[in-house]
């Protein structure tokens, strides 16, 4: 299995190269050159596998130049009991038709751990395979969850440094404390004066600066990415769609081969794209329901075929989805337009220059064969958190609530009774203020800081605070740097050269 760029500039790369570089030199994203298809026989054999076993089976098929032993080693270290004391991908039944796939039992209490615990292991092997000795510098823009998960994944990893930029006012207190108290000798965290898109654009600009890349190379350094533009991050996310499906079969919720819907709270379009890849690889999936918050660029795109980021950037209670450029959509449109890399390159150029592009009718109808999209307002997100708790005694975080609200829209619109898995992307305790406010009202937590609210929510609901979120405010603050968005490159240089 080889990898190529969505914009035609690179092809024939090994998996390890695609992982090591992260982003193609033409600005495109790496995609598999061949189709993977798991047979019915193979699907049947997956039902009885543990998460680790299944991960090894699926990842091996895509990681062309990794041996089975190497994949197994990556998987074993990533999903160890130390990182995931419980099942990494717990499936719990909410109603007869709806199950929740909880992806937040890892070290940072958000689903990003599912990929960012294993990406560093892929990267270590990839570096070794390349025969090159450059130090890898991971640059990441985060709206809160990626940054922390990348820091946890890469901390103290030999031969790799990691630098995270986050929007100063775009992350929760909890997320901020998770990052600024990060341990490890190879990490750096800087806040920028701007929003997530500014941070992401800044990082992309640094990546596309070929002169800078050459200068770094001459000094034995190479930049790479931990954002979901790296295929090594998407790949581990394909696994849990298979796993969730197999759990439904195992629990006799469905028979093997029956189709299910997946509903995915969407920001950068990485998680949901992994679901699409799972479907392409033979997983029986009916609809992939795309849920956005008020920043509903993608649902608008699904309706009209016009991707238009020229709109106000809104800060919401589901900040990990406050995004106007969903990078991974490029991989979907590449697929849907018949892999025409020149067309994709044109669209992305338009997006870059005008902030807008529109796909042709055929491409849009190809996409809409699989996807359905809508969004939740802030009020709808809050009322869904309260409603799900009051009806089912189940706590959901705002991102997951956005998904459930949109799933309800989907049912109201289509009447579809297919069993559905709603993907839960963060622990409710990670976004405790929004959750407590939704259930108990603003007055109940008036005057409380986020750490007091955390205790309050736990006491009221009788549910334990996840270990990674305990005692954050008593840890040593190690990173206080704030910079203008124009100064990001300078900060990178300072970090790299010391
Ligand atoms: C990152 C994130 C999302 C969005 O996932 P994408 O892969 O960027 O679409 C949703 N919810 C939470 C909690 C996240 O951290």
């Amino acid at each position: 299995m080889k990898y190529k760029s969505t914009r035609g500039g690179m092809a024939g790369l090994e998996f390890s190269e695609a992982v090591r570089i992260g982003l193609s030199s033409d600005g495109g994203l790496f995609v598999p050159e061949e189709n993977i298809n798991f047979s019915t026989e193979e699907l049947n054999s997956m039902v009885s596998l543990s998460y680790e076993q299944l991960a090894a089976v699926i990842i091996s098929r895509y990681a062309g130049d990794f041996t089975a032993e190497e994949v197994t080693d990556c998987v074993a270290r990533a999903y160890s009991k130390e990182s995931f004391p419980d099942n990494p991908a717990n499936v719990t039944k909410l109603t007869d038709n709806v199950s929740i796939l909880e992806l937040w039992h890892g070290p940072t209490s958000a689903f990003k751990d599912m990929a960012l615990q294993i990406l560093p292991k892929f990267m270590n092997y990839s570096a070794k395979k390349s025969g090159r000795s450059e130090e890898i510098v991971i640059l990441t823009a985060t709206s809160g969850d990626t940054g922390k998960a990348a820091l946890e994944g890469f901390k103290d990893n030999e031969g790799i440094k990691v630098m995270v930029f986050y929007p100063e006012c775009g992350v929760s207190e909890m997320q901020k404390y998770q990052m600024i108290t990060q341990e490890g000798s190879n990490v750096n965290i800087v806040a920028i004066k701007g929003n997530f898109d500014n941070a992401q654009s800044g990082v992309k600009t640094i990546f596309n600066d070929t002169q800078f890349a050459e200068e770094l190379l001459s000094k034995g350094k190479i930049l790479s990415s931990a954002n979901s533009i790296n295929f090594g991050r998407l790949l581990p996310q394909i696994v849990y769609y298979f796993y969730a499906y197999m759990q439904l079969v195992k629990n006799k919720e469905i028979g093997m081969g029956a189709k299910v819907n997946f509903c995915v709270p969407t920001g950068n379009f990485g998680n949901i794209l992994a679901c699409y890849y799972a479907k392409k690889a033979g997983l029986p999936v009916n609809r992939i329901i795309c849920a956005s918050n008020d920043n509903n660029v993608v649902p608008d795109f699904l309706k009209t075929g016009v991707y238009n980021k020229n709109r106000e950037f809104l800060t919401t209670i589901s900040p990990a989805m406050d995004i106007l450029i969903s990078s991974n959509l490029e991989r979907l449109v590449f697929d849907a337009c018949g892999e025409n890399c020149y067309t994709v390159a044109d669209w992305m150029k338009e997006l870059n220059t005008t902030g807008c592009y529109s796909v042709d009718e055929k491409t849009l109808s190809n996409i809409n064969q699989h996807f359905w999209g809508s969004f939740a307002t802030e009020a709808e997100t809050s009322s869904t958190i309260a409603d799900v708790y009051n009806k089912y005694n189940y706590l959901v975080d705002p991102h997951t609530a956005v998904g459930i609200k949109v799933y309800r829209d989907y049912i109201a619109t289509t009447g579809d009774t297919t069993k559905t898995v709603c993907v839960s992307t963060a622990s409710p305790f990670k976004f405790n203020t929004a959750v407590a406010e939704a259930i108990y009202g603003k007055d109940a937590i008036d005057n409380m800081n986020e750490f007091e609210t955390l205790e309050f929510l736990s006491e009221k609901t009788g549910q334990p605070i996840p270990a990674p979120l305990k005692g954050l405010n008593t840890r040593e603050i190690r990173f206080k740097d704030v910079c203008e968005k124009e100064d990001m490159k300078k900060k990178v240089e300072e970090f790299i050269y010391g």
Side-chain angles (χ1 to χ4, degrees):
M1 167 65 86
K2 298 283 199 324
Y3 288 80
K4 64 183 173 189
S5 164
T6 48
R7 301 188 198 174
M10 291 176 94
L13 278 85
E14 293 292 354
F15 174 74
S16 62
E17 272 308 284
V19 167
R20 198 174 72 95
I21 304 172
L23 188 70
S24 174
S25 56
D26 58 2
L29 308 186
F30 291 120
V31 289
E33 288 193 1
E34 296 151 44
N35 266 338
I36 299 274
N37 199 18
F38 290 100
S39 65
T40 311
E41 215 177 4
E42 285 174 299
L43 290 178
N44 279 325
S45 71
M46 289 177 184
V47 179
S48 58
L49 300 185
S50 69
Y51 194 83
E52 291 92 316
Q53 289 169 327
L54 183 61
V57 168
I58 291 169
I59 290 169
S60 289
R61 287 289 281 273
Y62 291 85
D65 63 333
F66 275 49
T67 66
E69 289 71 31
E70 287 167 345
V71 171
T72 308
D73 177 56
C74 291
V75 167
R77 288 191 290 134
Y79 303 109
S80 67
K81 283 275 171 261
E82 194 184 306
S83 298
F84 293 88
D86 307 315
N87 186 343
N90 189 44
V91 178
T92 179
K93 193 169 160 168
L94 193 69
T95 70
D96 276 347
N97 266 341
V98 180
S99 294
I100 307 276
L101 171 60
E102 295 173 351
L103 297 175
W104 38 262
H105 293 285
T108 75
S109 304
F111 93 96
K112 304 285 196 299
D113 291 328
M114 300 300 290
L116 282 166
Q117 281 296 306
I118 195 164
L119 180 66
K121 281 85 181 169
F122 288 160
M123 233 172 234
N124 290 142
Y125 277 114
S126 298
K128 217 183 280 169
K129 281 176 194 296
S130 71
R132 308 190 64 121
S133 56
E134 285 97 10
E135 180 180 52
I136 298 174
V137 182
I138 304 285
L139 268 195
T140 290
T142 186
S143 55
D145 288 341
T146 301
K148 177 61 182 179
L151 291 162
E152 272 302 308
F154 285 104
K155 75 173 176 206
D156 293 327
N157 191 315
E158 214 170 298
I160 301 183
K161 276 187 163 156
V162 52
M163 173 138 190
V164 170
F165 291 100
Y166 70 93
E168 190 183 16
C169 299
V171 302
S172 77
E173 278 294 286
M174 192 64 66
Q175 291 173 317
K176 185 173 150 189
Y177 270 84
Q178 277 191 312
M179 289 190 277
I180 62 179
T181 60
Q182 177 64 43
E183 292 171 354
S185 55
N186 60 338
V187 301
N188 191 22
I189 297 107
V190 177
I192 68 147
K193 294 181 183 160
N195 61 33
F196 171 67
D197 274 332
N198 299 138
Q200 177 157 268
S201 305
V203 165
K204 273 193 184 161
T205 306
I206 299 172
F207 272 119
N208 292 336
D209 185 338
T210 44
Q211 208 180 334
F212 186 46
E214 278 167 28
E215 179 196 319
L216 287 176
L217 202 57
S218 72
K219 293 178 174 152
K221 320 270 179 197
I222 173 175
L223 294 179
S224 190
S225 163
N227 281 86
S228 52
I229 50 179
N230 192 318
F231 193 81
R233 223 188 102 178
L234 273 182
L235 173 53
Q237 299 184 345
I238 298 172
V239 175
Y240 48 71
Y241 290 101
F242 279 87
Y243 184 76
Y245 185 92
M246 298 308 154
Q247 295 313 293
L248 295 188
V249 173
K250 208 167 163 179
N251 299 338
K252 305 212 160 41
E253 293 277 326
I254 55 167
M256 176 55 86
K259 289 190 172 180
V260 301
N261 300 321
F262 283 97
C263 177
V264 189
T266 295
N268 216 6
F269 212 78
N271 200 0
I272 196 167
L273 185 77
C275 183
Y276 172 72
Y277 279 158
K279 183 175 185 184
K280 259 174 69 119
L283 189 69
V285 176
N286 178 42
R287 275 288 144 199
I288 305 173
I289 302 163
C290 173
S292 291
N293 63 24
D294 277 324
N295 297 292
N296 59 335
V297 191
V298 177
D300 280 353
F301 169 74
L302 295 175
K303 278 191 196 91
T304 61
V306 180
Y307 192 97
N308 188 354
K309 70 143 201 150
N310 300 318
R311 57 180 82 198
E312 196 187 345
F313 177 93
L314 300 165
T315 332
T316 73
I317 54 171
S318 47
M321 293 151 67
D322 293 346
I323 290 176
L324 293 180
I325 299 182
S326 297
S327 307
N328 272 295
L329 196 66
E330 178 168 347
R331 287 185 165 110
L332 178 64
V333 297
F334 175 74
D335 219 57
C337 77
E339 302 206 340
N340 189 335
C341 55
Y342 304 108
T343 307
V344 173
D346 285 344
W347 286 335
M348 294 307 136
K349 200 168 147 200
E350 272 177 56
L351 178 63
N352 212 5
T353 50
T354 69
C356 181
Y357 68 96
S358 59
V359 301
D360 56 280
E361 238 165 73
K362 182 85 182 85
T363 299
L364 184 63
S365 81
N366 284 345
I367 290 173
N368 283 327
Q369 271 175 26
H370 306 283
F371 290 86
W372 190 94
S374 187
F375 72 105
T377 64
E378 292 291 270
E380 288 167 339
T381 306
S382 288
S383 65
T384 304
I385 294 172
D387 183 70
V388 169
Y389 183 66
N390 294 329
K391 269 208 185 96
Y392 311 112
N393 194 29
Y394 185 76
L395 273 181
V396 291
D397 91 290
H399 305 79
T400 309
V402 165
I404 293 175
K405 151 64 174 63
V406 168
Y407 168 71
R408 288 172 168 176
D409 288 351
Y410 171 74
I411 298 306
T413 310
T414 63
D416 183 10
T417 55
T418 307
K419 298 255 181 195
T420 300
V421 176
C422 287
V423 176
S424 178
T425 50
S427 159
F429 289 99
K430 193 159 186 182
F431 298 93
N432 54 70
T433 303
V435 173
E437 216 173 281
I439 300 174
Y440 302 106
K442 216 177 169 65
D443 290 347
I445 56 164
D446 217 16
N447 301 323
M448 284 187 202
N449 67 31
E450 217 170 301
F451 302 99
E452 291 161 344
T453 310
L454 186 66
E455 299 288 339
F456 169 84
L457 188 63
S458 173
E459 271 164 36
K460 286 288 253 188
T461 60
Q463 296 192 27
I465 299 168
L469 302 178
K470 265 191 208 152
L472 272 179
N473 49 335
T474 60
R475 290 181 207 165
E476 181 202 352
I477 294 174
R478 298 188 61 215
F479 302 95
K480 293 180 183 159
D481 213 359
V482 183
C483 80
E484 300 292 338
K485 53 183 188 276
E486 294 76 23
D487 294 335
M488 290 168 64
K489 184 174 164 191
K490 205 173 89 200
K491 289 288 166 194
V492 174
E493 289 170 328
E494 279 172 21
F495 177 54
I496 295 180
Y497 301 137

